[in-house]
Structures are given as structure tokens and as C-alpha cells.
Amino acid sequence: MTSPYDLSHDVPRPSHDVPRPSYDVTATASGDGAPSAPAPRGAAAPVVLDRHDGPHGEVVLRQYGDTLQIIANGCFLMDTSDGRSERRLVDAAREALDLRERPEASAVPRPRARPAVLIGGLGVGFSLAHAAADARWGRITVVERERAIIGWHHDGPLAPLTAEALADPRTEIVESDLVAFVNETSDTFDALCLDIDNGPDWTVTEGNDSLYTPAGLASCARVLRPGGVLAVWSARPSPEFEGTLWNAGFQRVRTEEIPVARGVPDVVHLAVRPG
């Protein structure tokens, strides 16, 4: 039997397929600075490894040279070529917590439980793997709405990137829409690392837009413990979103830029819930 992840063949579209948005397989950035699917140097044509239609549209995993790419509804989301900004998302949140927990010079240090982190979006697994490699984190919860992406990590092409992290007893994968999760869960966390879109100004689906509004940020604050850190990944800076964070009641709002090969820096927006 041919494996569903056999790299030697493409996966045909189902017969009931309808036209969907196309993506430029050679471009490295769109005209507005948002990322599109990068073409690895010297790579042959991309090979589709798996394709699924679900409640949120189409999600595709493909291989382009040595790089694996995830594309949702024709929109390039991420690939395995780098990952420095996705790792920085987790580290920046942890460093912000360290600043919160650093005792005054005259104070007697008190033992603290390891902080719990909620990661919004599994993607190719860079943020999860990086968090699991850091013993300072306690509970690591990842919310991912696409069942296909979760499957690619459990027994598909992305498994080598996250196998160790998924076996870590601190890790829990929750199949859920993040917008619904932050509105419904009774759990709370010390840090919330969001990477479900290409940024507050360019969401993957319209339903995600609400997450970056004052009401959506209030839901994010609801799942954060007092003094908790919100870290939001974006493919480009968004001064407007900084203002929204301040207006939503967050403190210590700042933006950290991470240089990337395509020229426009990735950024991490950071903010702290009062308390």
C-alpha cells in the first residue's frame, strides 16, 4: 500500500473540488509585505504530500526541496526553512516572565512553580519544540484547530520535528479553534503565545479578526494570570496593534523585530496583563 505521505507522488484533488485561491510558488513576499510561499534555491517543483478539506477550508502540506510548507486556503502560512522568530516568540514571553518574577535585591527569593504556557497554533512545531526543550516551562498547552496538522505531527512528515516534544509529559495538544478556546476555557496560564495568523493585520480566516480587537484581547487577558504575558507573532510590525493592546488595558507593550532573509522583519508583539 502506498503511504499517504509518499514523497514520490502528488495527491490529486478530490472530484468534488472547486476552484480555490492560487499561490505564487516562486515569490518570497507579497506586494504588501506579507509572506507568500518561498522558493528554496535550486528546488524542483513542489510536491503535495497531503491535502485536507475541513470546516475552516483547505489545508495543504507540501515539500519544496528540503523544506516542508503549510498552506491554508491558498495562503502560505509557514515552512521549516528557518523558525528563528517562532522560537523567539517563546523566549520573549519567558524573558518577560523572568522580569516579572525577578525579586528586589533586598527581598528574600521565594520558590515559584514553573510557568504554564498556552501556544496558539501548532504549525510546523517550532514553538512547541522550543518550549519543550526549556525545562523552565511547566505545563505546555497547544491549541490547533486543524486535525490534519495534528496528524502530520503524530505520524506524518512533521513528526521528526516534534516527536520528543509530544512525548513530553508537560505537553497537551488541544484540537480547538483558539478564538473559541480563550472564550470558553476555565484554565489560566502565565503566558499566551499566539501564532495562528500572518499577523493582526492579515488573518488566515475572517473569524480570526476578532482576536485582535479589544474584545478579543480581553478574552486573551481572561486566560492569563495576573502579570501574565501575551506574545503575538506577526510577519510585519503593526503600530496600530500596539495601540489596541494599550487600549485593551495591557501594560509594558513593546514590539521586538527579528531579522529574516526576505527583508521585512518578523516581529513579536509583547504585552503584560496588569496584576
Side-chain angles (χ1 to χ4, degrees), residues 54-193:
H56 306 287
E58 180 191 64
V59 60
V60 174
L61 179 68
R62 69 180 189 179
Q63 184 168 19
Y64 206 175
D66 294 330
T67 300
L68 296 174
Q69 301 174 334
I70 295 178
I71 296 156
N73 297 315
C75 175
F76 171 76
L77 293 185
M78 63 204 69
D79 63 24
T80 57
S81 64
D82 192 344
R84 76 187 77 177
S85 60
E86 291 86 349
R87 297 183 184 99
R88 184 60 196 156
L89 175 72
V90 174
D91 285 343
R94 189 67 183 86
E95 290 169 9
L97 288 174
D98 288 343
L99 289 174
R100 178 198 69 175
E101 297 174 355
R102 188 172 298 156
E104 299 296 333
S106 60
V108 176
R110 294 178 298 172
R112 294 181 181 270
R114 291 186 297 174
V117 59
L118 171 61
I119 299 175
L122 178 56
V124 297
F126 284 136
S127 295
L128 166 60
H130 197 61
D134 188 344
R136 295 174 299 173
W137 287 112
R139 181 165 50 103
I140 303 169
T141 302
V142 182
V143 173
E144 173 56 58
R145 72 183 186 181
E146 296 291 350
R147 180 172 298 180
I149 292 179
I150 296 173
W152 296 335
H153 282 276
H154 279 297
D155 57 6
L158 295 174
L161 298 175
T162 52
E164 187 173 348
L166 291 175
D168 192 307
R170 296 173 296 164
T171 299
E172 178 187 14
I173 305 296
V174 178
E175 182 184 343
S176 176
D177 181 82
L178 184 72
V179 176
F181 184 85
V182 296
N183 280 293
E184 298 169 2
T185 185
S186 59
D187 284 344
T188 57
F189 304 86
D190 297 284
L192 169 53
C193 297

Side-chain angles (χ1 to χ4, degrees), residues 9 11 28 35 48 52-53 62 80 89 93 114 122 125 129 136 168 172 179 197 216 231 239 241-242 260 266 273:
H9 72 286
V11 176
T28 57
V48 173
H52 284 268
D53 288 300
R62 69 180 189 179
T80 57
L89 175 72
R114 291 186 297 174
L122 178 56
R136 295 174 299 173
D168 192 307
E172 178 187 14
V179 176
D197 294 297
F241 184 59
E242 285 191 15
V260 293
D266 291 342
R273 177 188 167 178

Side-chain angles (χ1 to χ4, degrees), residues 29-35 202 236:
S30 65
D32 61 2
W202 196 39
R236 60 185 178 187

Side-chain angles (χ1 to χ4, degrees), residues 17 92 94 107 129 151 176 178 198 201 207 224 238:
D17 189 30
R94 189 67 183 86
S176 176
L178 184 72
N198 283 319
D201 301 325
L224 286 171
S238 177

